Amino acid sequence: MRGAPIGIFDSGVGGLSVWRQVVHCLPGESTLYVADQAHVPYGNRSADEIQGYCLAIGEHLVSQGCKAIVVACNTASAVALEPLRTRFPGVPILGLEPAVKPAVQLTRSGVVGVMATPATFQGQLYRATVGRTASSVRVVEQVCIGLADLVEQGDLEGPHCDAALEHFLAPMLAAGADTIVLGCTHYPFVIEAIRRLVGPGMAVLDPAPAVAKHLADVLRQGDLLAEPAAAAEHRFFTSGDPQAFDRAVARLVGAQCCSEALIWRPGPLLQLQSEPL
Ligand code: DGL
């Protein structure tokens, strides 16, 4: 079991921002990454739809023998974390939620901006976190429709990306925010552009390092850590175009991979199957 892979999934390439931190923090661990690019973006979809996709991806990861699962997507975590934990009670399942608590501790102006998808803001998880941790500050919620798509398309810099970011950042800047939470795993891939546009006085928070550290603690407590000298193997699956995904992995996290295709099977239960090579 200790040598089994960690399953990590997202609607697309965004979860790679979590994957790179997991690999950095736990270099002996093997991983299995699923990008559901047939359905990206998740952010504008209904909770039922997203849950159906996530449970099928969970089945796939568990059938591949994953010892733990990281839902490397705020949107999927917002609506599917509890259903996944109920369906797979024997597997530790970690989710992502916007890093509101650290932002509240950091802000000096008392105004915190949060960038996320509509489904994340509508989810119970986010509401509960804000209710629990942010009563002392003003939280400016910025729905960023289309930003995950820009990252999927590799549009990470240049006038088009800057214009979209300026549009999303303006209300938070106008409100006096001095801390911005990246509440979607796609957004760390434009963190440099965001930092350039907001200037040095603004803290921009990516939760991925904290998630990787939390995963390490969970594995340690469950006696699930791989042997320190283990040779890690990283496999990637996409329900989109494997070659385009391979290029995105190289561009975004500098890893060479040969991803495997997943296909959605219609039927009463959504099923995700590997395409025979
Ligand atoms: N990466 C996902 C997140 O963290 C969402 C992007 C999307 O599919 O809308 O919310």
Side-chain angles (χ1 to χ4, degrees):
M1 195 61 176
R2 288 187 192 161
I6 296 161
I8 302 176
F9 77 89
D10 179 44
S11 56
V13 298
L16 293 169
S17 66
V18 178
W19 177 88
R20 70 179 165 192
Q21 293 297 338
V22 169
V23 169
H24 176 73
C25 181
L26 294 162
E29 298 291 339
S30 293
T31 63
L32 203 158
Y33 185 94
V34 171
D36 186 13
Q37 292 181 301
H39 299 122
V40 68
Y42 276 1
N44 314 333
R45 294 180 185 273
S46 73
D48 281 355
E49 211 179 349
I50 300 168
Q51 267 179 32
Y53 300 147
C54 293
L55 288 171
I57 294 169
E59 289 291 351
H60 176 72
L61 294 172
V62 170
S63 75
Q64 297 282 324
C66 289
K67 63 182 176 185
I69 294 176
V70 180
V71 184
C73 175
N74 292 260
T75 307
S77 301
V79 297
L81 195 55
E82 288 318 313
L84 281 163
R85 286 178 173 155
T86 305
R87 176 75 67 90
F88 308 106
V91 183
I93 302 180
L94 280 68
L96 261 97
E97 59 179 300
V100 175
K101 194 174 166 193
V104 170
Q105 287 160 356
L106 215 62
T107 179
R108 293 283 161 264
S109 69
V111 184
V112 164
V114 181
M115 299 168 72
T117 67
T120 295
F121 284 130
Q122 283 151 21
Q124 281 292 329
L125 194 63
Y126 173 75
R127 287 276 143 245
T129 307
V130 169
R132 209 176 47 245
T133 62
S135 55
S136 60
V137 304
R138 177 170 171 214
V139 179
V140 181
E141 292 168 5
Q142 182 60 49
V143 176
C144 299
I145 292 173
L147 187 50
D149 301 272
L150 287 185
V151 175
E152 285 292 316
Q153 290 149 16
D155 197 347
L156 309 179
E157 53 189 16
H160 183 231
C161 179
D162 278 5
L165 287 174
E166 275 166 358
H167 169 75
F168 295 132
L169 294 166
M172 297 182 282
L173 292 171
D178 65 353
T179 308
I180 291 179
V181 175
L182 302 184
C184 168
T185 54
H186 280 74
Y187 305 165
F189 290 118
V190 286
I191 198 167
E192 292 314 325
I194 293 175
R195 288 200 169 122
R196 176 171 44 75
L197 292 169
V198 295
M202 181 83 78
V204 186
L205 305 186
D206 169 10
V211 173
K213 198 174 158 297
H214 181 46
L215 173 65
D217 291 341
V218 168
L219 294 180
R220 194 171 303 112
Q221 281 155 21
D223 197 19
L224 288 169
L225 277 176
E227 301 300 332
E233 191 197 356
H234 303 294
R235 285 175 74 191
F236 297 87
F237 293 83
T238 177
S239 59
D241 173 356
Q243 272 138 31
F245 185 69
D246 293 349
R247 288 193 294 274
V249 172
R251 185 173 61 237
L252 295 172
V253 294
Q256 300 305 317
C257 72
C258 190
S259 57
E260 299 164 59
L262 287 173
I263 30 176
W264 287 98
R265 301 263 181 231
L269 277 178
L270 273 174
Q271 277 193 347
L272 198 51
Q273 292 183 350
S274 302
E275 196 161 49
L277 292 172

